């Protein structure tokens, strides 16, 4: 029975590095797309009336409340049943980006609403238009206030990207599962995977602390 298993070797590094690279790529896509969509939706929620807020809020509540792994499976199954199956990377990127957007939108909405009305009134009294007030006052102050929260969501996305393996995407966790099934060395491999996730996340966390100091948050 032991002859069926082979120990880890340097030849496995290519598979591991592929998983690391795929994790980085899908995380970057989800963070960038989720941030852009979240900024737009967060602004619309801060500026819109109650009816629009209820509409947006209902959709966002569903995205935030339903576990990501279920969203991935349902979306992948649905598009496949419709006769238009998507590659695991594409399907995973779409779902993870929308999931990220749901959290980012709340982060940005709270940032926009944190700017006091008196400050906006003062800007308008100086002759600024509505859009100048948004661009020069609300946007910079709001983004500065929510940067730590944005960073927390971004770091969570990197870890959540492991769930995309459920639809067949070859990210770090899925490659580790393949190695475990072949080598039967789960402890060593999972410790290594944890180290790689730390290596991926640490630069963002470190840069975030640097930006916070520069912004004097």
């Amino acid at each position: 029975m032991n002859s069926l298993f082979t120990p880890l070797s340097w030849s496995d590094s290519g598979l591991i590095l592929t998983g690391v690279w795929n994790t980085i790529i899908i995380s970057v896509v989800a963070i960038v797309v989720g941030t852009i969509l979240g900024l737009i939706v967060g602004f619309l929620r801060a500026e819109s009336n109650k009816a629009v807020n209820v509409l947006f809020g209902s959709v966002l509540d569903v995205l935030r409340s339903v576990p990501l792994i279920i969203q991935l499976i349902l979306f992948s199954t649905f598009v496949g049943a419709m006769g238009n199956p998507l590659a695991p990377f594409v399907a995973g990127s779409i779902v993870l980006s929308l999931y990220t957007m749901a959290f980012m939108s709340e982060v940005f909405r709270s940032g926009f609403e944190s700017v006091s009305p008196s400050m906006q009134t003062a800007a308008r009294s100086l002759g600024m238009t509505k859009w100048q007030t948004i661009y020069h006052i609300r946007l910079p102050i709001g983004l500065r206030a929510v940067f730590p929260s944005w960073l927390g969501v971004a770091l969570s996305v990197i870890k959540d990207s492991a769930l995309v393996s459920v639809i067949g995407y070859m990210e770090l966790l899925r490659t580790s599962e393949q190695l475990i099934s072949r080598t039967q060395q789960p402890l060593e491999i999972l410790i290594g995977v944890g180290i790689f996730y730390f290596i991926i996340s640490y630069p963002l966390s470190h840069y975030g602390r640097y930006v916070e100091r520069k912004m004097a948050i």
Side-chain angles (χ1 to χ4, degrees):
M1 181 66 69
N2 290 338
S3 61
L4 297 176
F5 306 131
T6 56
L8 285 171
S9 64
W10 284 109
S11 61
D12 296 320
S13 60
L15 181 62
I16 295 173
L17 291 176
T18 297
V20 171
W21 175 249
N22 288 345
T23 294
I24 293 172
I25 290 298
I26 199 168
S27 298
V28 169
V29 170
I31 291 170
V32 171
V33 175
T35 297
I36 294 172
L37 294 178
L39 182 63
I40 295 171
V41 173
F43 173 74
L44 290 176
R45 291 200 68 194
E47 291 292 308
S48 301
N49 56 37
K50 185 176 180 180
V52 175
N53 260 316
V54 170
L55 177 62
F56 274 121
S58 300
V59 176
L60 295 175
D61 284 341
V62 171
L63 291 173
R64 287 196 302 268
S65 302
V66 177
L68 177 59
I69 191 170
I70 295 178
Q71 295 184 41
L72 288 163
I73 295 172
L74 289 178
F75 180 78
S76 181
T77 303
F78 175 76
V79 295
M82 295 295 291
N84 298 295
L86 298 175
F89 171 76
V90 177
S93 295
I94 292 173
V95 175
L96 193 57
S97 295
L98 291 176
Y99 185 75
T100 304
M101 177 270 291
F103 289 93
M104 291 294 191
S105 64
E106 286 301 293
V107 168
F108 290 124
R109 181 181 66 86
S110 64
F112 285 123
E113 292 180 348
S114 69
V115 181
S116 65
S118 60
M119 189 174 295
Q120 299 176 57
T121 302
R124 298 298 293 273
S125 67
L126 292 174
M128 289 186 177
T129 64
K130 177 180 179 180
W131 290 106
Q132 286 176 328
T133 302
I134 292 172
Y135 184 77
H136 293 288
I137 304 297
R138 296 188 68 186
L139 192 60
I141 295 176
L143 294 183
R144 177 176 176 176
V146 302
F147 180 78
S149 299
W150 175 90
L151 182 62
V153 174
L155 291 172
S156 295
V157 170
I158 296 175
K159 292 177 286 186
D160 289 339
S161 67
L163 296 176
V164 186
S165 63
V166 75
I167 60 173
Y169 184 61
M170 291 296 294
E171 47 69 65
L172 184 54
L173 184 61
R174 188 169 180 83
T175 57
S176 70
E177 290 172 348
Q178 291 188 353
L179 291 176
I180 290 173
S181 66
R182 198 196 78 215
T183 64
Q184 294 300 296
Q185 296 177 272
L187 182 61
E188 296 91 335
I189 292 174
L190 290 177
I191 289 175
V193 168
I195 292 172
F196 274 117
Y197 273 112
F198 173 78
I199 292 173
I200 294 171
S201 302
Y202 181 74
L204 179 60
S205 177
H206 181 74
Y207 180 71
R209 289 197 296 271
Y210 168 76
V211 172
E212 287 183 19
R213 289 196 299 268
K214 295 289 287 185
M215 297 170 67
I217 295 178

